[in-house]
Amino acid sequence: MEKIDLNQLIGMKMEPRYVEYNWRDVALYNLAVGAHKEDLAYYYEKYLKAIPTYGAVPYWATINVRPYQWMPLPASMLADELIKPTIAFLNMDHEIIWHRPIDAIKGTFQWQDQIVDVYDRGEGKGAVVKTKIDVRDEAGNLVCTNYSTTFFHEAGGFGGKPMPKSPVVIPEREPDFTVDDYVTPVQNLLYRLTGDTNLIHVDPEYAKNMKFDQPIVQGLCSFGFACRMIIDKLIPGQPERAKRMAAQMSSPLLPDTPVQTQIWKIDEGTAYFRFIDKNTGKAVLNRGVFEWA
């Protein structure tokens, strides 16, 4: 394969997009990331609060988004035009920084995603495209900022800079808290209704073509699950106190799976975490960090 300098991707943007939402969209999202019957403030409009990872929805969103797109197309997919990959891309990690609480009753998200960096993992080891999305409300106020990295198997060795290592080191001691939960057999289908209509999460044949036995749970669904579980343990009933969350996406998760979030409190306002598939013991999300006010 001819080597292409992927640094030319840096600065490329998608067109501006927006989506209007209301309390039903927020309640659906909260349920899609595992809110329980006792979590009244996550589904009853009288008390409604958004699980703050709702601010990550624009990254893959297609539903009700203008201009319309039939499949998720974040800025990282601009790399397709240069790489023309034959192997499916992988989401490596996600980070979200909250600048203000999300209005849970109704609002508008406006955003334009941009490629902000490209990393070279070496010949035969692939390349990583990093994107940024500033999400604003209808008044132009910055609500949250998302960063995400996408791995392309077939593009390494172009002479770019290496990918930086995560500064998060999970302590070797036992976690300070563990929270158990369950991803239902239809969790991926519920989460799909919030906007991520990628076929690998719904189409059995497509999933098999991508080397999975069945459709898999969305990485950002796991991210939302972990966020909700951490809030319930560290700042119960106060999702508006969340300030930052980041994690590596380490392994796929199947529907109908028991999960556990392991939490290490580092200081007042910072915790590290793992989100574990209890059937396999593998980390679905690893090197996670959660910060709150």
Side-chain angles (χ1 to χ4, degrees):
M1 177 180 173
E2 179 185 354
K3 288 292 174 253
I4 300 168
D5 183 5
L6 295 184
N7 287 310
Q8 62 187 285
L9 289 167
I10 297 174
M12 294 180 69
K13 299 179 180 180
M14 301 299 291
E15 61 189 340
R17 286 171 282 169
Y18 74 93
V19 63
E20 296 177 352
Y21 67 87
N22 60 38
W23 69 268
R24 294 185 301 278
D25 299 300
V26 173
L28 173 61
Y29 175 84
N30 291 347
L31 293 168
V33 297
H36 297 284
K37 182 179 179 180
E38 59 269 24
D39 299 326
L40 202 63
Y42 284 157
Y43 60 82
Y44 181 22
E45 64 274 20
K46 183 176 179 180
Y47 308 110
L48 193 64
K49 293 186 177 185
I51 293 172
T53 43
Y54 185 63
V57 164
Y59 190 73
W60 290 113
T62 64
I63 295 173
N64 295 330
V65 173
R66 302 289 183 271
Y68 171 75
Q69 55 191 44
W70 74 280
M71 281 286 285
L73 191 66
S76 58
M77 297 302 98
L78 292 168
D80 278 11
E81 299 173 13
L82 290 179
I83 300 169
K84 296 180 170 56
T86 60
I87 302 173
F89 62 84
L90 294 173
N91 298 121
M92 292 188 69
D93 59 37
H94 198 89
E95 176 184 12
I96 183 168
I97 301 164
W98 295 285
H99 307 289
R100 63 182 60 232
I102 295 169
D103 187 335
I105 300 304
K106 68 175 182 177
T108 300
F109 284 157
Q110 305 177 74
W111 70 94
Q112 183 176 19
D113 37 334
Q114 175 181 5
I115 295 175
V116 292
D117 232 328
V118 181
Y119 305 113
D120 189 352
R121 300 188 71 182
E123 184 71 34
K125 297 180 180 178
V128 177
V129 176
K130 183 175 183 178
T131 59
K132 174 185 178 182
I133 303 176
D134 282 331
V135 180
R136 299 181 182 273
D137 63 20
E138 59 266 46
N141 298 312
L142 190 58
V143 177
C144 61
T145 299
N146 289 270
Y147 292 94
S148 191
T149 58
T150 305
F151 174 61
F152 293 87
H153 295 79
E154 299 163 300
F158 63 91
K161 61 186 175 183
M163 186 172 179
K165 293 184 178 179
S166 170
V168 175
V169 178
I170 300 293
E172 294 185 5
R173 59 182 168 83
E174 289 295 307
D176 297 309
F177 310 101
T178 59
V179 187
D180 291 327
D181 214 323
Y182 171 62
V183 174
T184 73
V186 296
Q187 210 75 56
N188 54 315
L189 308 181
L190 272 176
Y191 191 86
R192 185 172 187 266
L193 300 180
T194 71
D196 184 352
T197 53
N198 193 317
L199 297 181
I200 200 168
H201 306 303
V202 66
D203 188 316
E205 288 304 314
Y206 186 88
K208 287 178 181 176
N209 288 339
M210 295 295 108
K211 312 304 180 186
F212 294 101
D213 292 336
Q214 65 181 88
I216 60 175
V217 174
Q218 297 86 345
L220 285 180
C221 180
S222 296
F223 197 72
F225 250 79
C227 181
R228 174 183 55 79
M229 294 162 77
I230 293 167
I231 287 170
D232 287 351
K233 180 57 66 173
L234 298 180
I235 46 173
Q238 302 178 81
E240 64 276 5
R241 291 176 60 190
K243 291 300 178 185
R244 174 176 172 262
M245 179 175 170
Q248 294 178 347
M249 297 179 179
S250 298
S251 60
L253 179 67
L254 297 179
D256 192 18
T257 301
V259 293
Q260 181 180 84
T261 299
Q262 302 172 340
I263 305 167
W264 290 262
K265 193 170 182 181
I266 304 304
D267 56 40
E268 192 53 52
T270 304
Y272 291 167
F273 72 91
R274 285 195 193 110
F275 182 71
I276 302 290
D277 177 335
K278 291 187 71 176
N279 283 341
T280 65
K282 291 182 178 179
V284 177
L285 303 176
N286 205 354
R287 294 182 180 270
V289 59
F290 183 87
E291 298 174 1
W292 67 96

